[in-house]
């Protein structure tokens, strides 16, 4: 039987984690022995080398190599992972100080509401790394800096400590998606929810299936060029000091002209997932919740090479109002927060609007591209009609698509509604033929939606 590569990789990853946890167990035992001046074969935990993962193809090993994690970084990471994998490895920290009849404060750690094991905190990590050596402890603080790989890649962080308590009392948290990746070998997509108001958008179409004006297509290509060459410009050519990070674009035009489809294709052809932010779920009536929910989306997107797509962006990115009430003031605060997050986001952000003038001028100045998606011209409409119907459902002879394209100003999205209606009718009849009366009826419905006249 041929081996399943996915299962083989998972088994390799399990072996790597087992070796790393055994290393952690030895570190914990040694640190406690040295701290309490008990007999130990080591005089420093640095003598206990971590497992060699150089040639491993497991998910954990790939992460260690990708981020070039050294001794200290790996020790913090596996300590944070231990409660998810083998919580008993940390049971030594439950030892009590007999003098004061309580736990040792220097061990840190907290108890979960349900989990019976030891949940490590920043204090736990510092104790393992430095023991009672204050200078070494202070030198290790870089591990939790905002620009260090743990926070920058949203891999691991310290939970916020209670007000006025030491920062190291916050719990060590590994991002749930990385816990899943290290245990299953796959990075799961985040669940769409009020806490994460965005969902991934995909398409089975290709660029040849999209009919866009030449000037629109050229500007769209500029976004793809930036995704491909932007990192080299920012880093290798020294422009990072002069240019704002990332790429911001505005797509504007009537509904159904291909804005969402184009964003999806940009992601598909550049291998960057596209997440569409649900603004209706994002905006909260509770003060500060909008910023909090949006912050979660941006924080995750920054480490995943995501393209963020805001459809109907006018609702949150529109012109700021005069301050006549507390609600107006908070709305303007939300806009200011969005400006700041977009300004510092180093990925691609695409806003979509029906009208360019609906977007706040403060946002417009920050766009690297403002791209029109106009209603298709006659020739483009004809091309869209020809490409829309399935070869499995032929048109009856009375239908002249060139004439239809000439008479009716419809968007590509409206055309697909017509195709859907006619195809269902054809399948229901059992002859799989697109009939002119069905086509006329479907076009009339679309025109009525837009308040246009049926000819």
């Amino acid at each position: 039987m041929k081996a399943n590569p996915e299962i083989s990789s998972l088994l390799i990853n399990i072996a790597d984690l087992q070796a790393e946890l055994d290393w952690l167990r030895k570190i914990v035992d040694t640190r406690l022995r040295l701290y309490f001046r008990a007999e130990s074969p080591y005089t420093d935990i640095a003598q206990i080398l971590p497992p060699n993962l150089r040639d491993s193809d497991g998910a954990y090993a790939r992460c260690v190599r990708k981020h070039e994690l050294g001794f200290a970084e790996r020790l913090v990471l596996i300590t944070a992972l231990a409660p998810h994998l083998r919580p008993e490895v940390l049971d030594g920290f439950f030892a009590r100080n007999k003098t004061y009849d309580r736990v040792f404060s220097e061990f840190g750690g907290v108890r979960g509401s349900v989990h019976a094991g030891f949940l490590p905190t920043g204090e736990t990590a510092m104790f393992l790394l430095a023991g009672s050596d204050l200078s070494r402890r202070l030198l290790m603080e870089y591990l939790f800096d905002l620009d260090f790989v743990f926070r920058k890649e949203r891999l691991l962080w310290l939970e916020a400590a209670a007000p006025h308590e030491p920062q190291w009392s916050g719990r060590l948290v590994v991002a749930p998606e990385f816990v899943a990746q290290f245990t299953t070998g796959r990075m799961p997509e985040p669940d769409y929810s009020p806490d994460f108001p965005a969902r991934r958008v995909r398409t089975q179409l290709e660029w040849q299936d999209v009919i866009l004006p030449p000037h629109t297509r050229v500007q769209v290509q500029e976004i793809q060029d930036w995704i491909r060459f932007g990192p080299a410009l920012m880093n290798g050519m020294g422009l990072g000091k002069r240019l704002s990070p990332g790429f911001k674009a505005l797509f504007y035009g009537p509904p159904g002209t291909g804005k969402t489809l184009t964003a999806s294709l940009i992601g598909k052809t550049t291998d960057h997932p596209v997440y569409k932010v649900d603004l209706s779920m994002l905006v909260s009536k509770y003060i500060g919740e909008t910023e909090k929910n949006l912050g979660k989306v941006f924080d995750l997107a920054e480490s995943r090479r995501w393209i963020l797509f805001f459809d109907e962006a006018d609702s949150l990115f529109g012109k700021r109002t005069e301050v006549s009430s507390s609600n107006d003031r908070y709305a303007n605060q939300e806009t200011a927060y969005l400006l700041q997050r977009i300004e510092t986001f180093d990925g691609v952000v695409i806003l979509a609007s029906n009208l360019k003038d609906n977007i706040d001028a403060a946002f417009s100045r920050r766009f690297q591209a403002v791209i029109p998606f106009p209603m298709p011209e006659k020739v483009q409409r004809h091309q869209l009609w020809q490409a829309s119907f399935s070869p499995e459902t032929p048109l009856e002879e009375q239908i002249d698509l060139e004439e239809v394209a000439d008479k009716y100003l419809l968007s590509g999205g409206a055309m697909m509604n017509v195709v859907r209606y006619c195809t269902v009718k054809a399948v229901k009849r059992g002859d799989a033929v697109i009939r002119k009366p069905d086509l006329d009826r479907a076009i009339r419905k679309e025109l009525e939606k837009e308040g246009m006249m049926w000819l």
Side-chain angles (χ1 to χ4, degrees), residues 110 120-123 157-162 166-173:
V110 294
T121 60
E123 192 65 56
W157 61 89
L158 275 182
E159 207 171 48
Q167 62 171 326
W168 306 115
S169 60
R171 188 167 62 92
L172 281 176
V173 179

Side-chain angles (χ1 to χ4, degrees), residues 162-291:
H164 311 300
E165 291 192 7
Q167 62 171 326
W168 306 115
S169 60
R171 188 167 62 92
L172 281 176
V173 179
V174 180
E177 59 271 17
F178 279 102
V179 174
Q181 183 185 30
F182 294 150
T183 53
T184 67
R186 295 185 299 272
M187 181 75 83
E189 294 183 12
D191 292 331
Y192 174 73
S193 69
D195 284 338
F196 187 80
R199 68 172 80 243
R200 187 170 180 180
V201 291
R202 296 179 171 89
T203 181
Q204 296 182 2
L205 298 179
E206 303 295 339
W207 281 117
Q208 59 265 29
D209 300 314
V210 184
I211 309 298
L212 296 174
H215 63 286
T216 296
R217 190 175 287 275
V218 167
Q219 292 188 76
V220 168
Q221 182 61 49
E222 292 175 4
I223 302 176
Q224 295 177 272
D225 291 342
W226 173 263
I227 293 173
R228 183 179 177 187
F229 301 111
L233 266 63
M234 298 293 283
N235 301 319
M237 297 185 180
L239 291 178
K241 297 178 181 179
R242 298 178 178 87
L243 300 179
S244 60
F247 196 101
K248 292 83 182 175
L250 172 66
F251 291 178
Y252 70 93
T257 50
K259 298 185 291 293
T260 302
L261 174 58
T262 298
S264 301
L265 279 169
I266 290 173
K268 180 179 180 178
T269 54
T270 60
D271 195 27
H272 284 60
V274 179
Y275 275 80
K276 182 178 178 180
V277 181
D278 186 341
L279 293 175
S280 65
M281 185 177 285
L282 180 66
V283 179
S284 172
K285 64 182 179 180
Y286 298 107
I287 296 169
E289 284 297 306
T290 297
E291 293 93 325

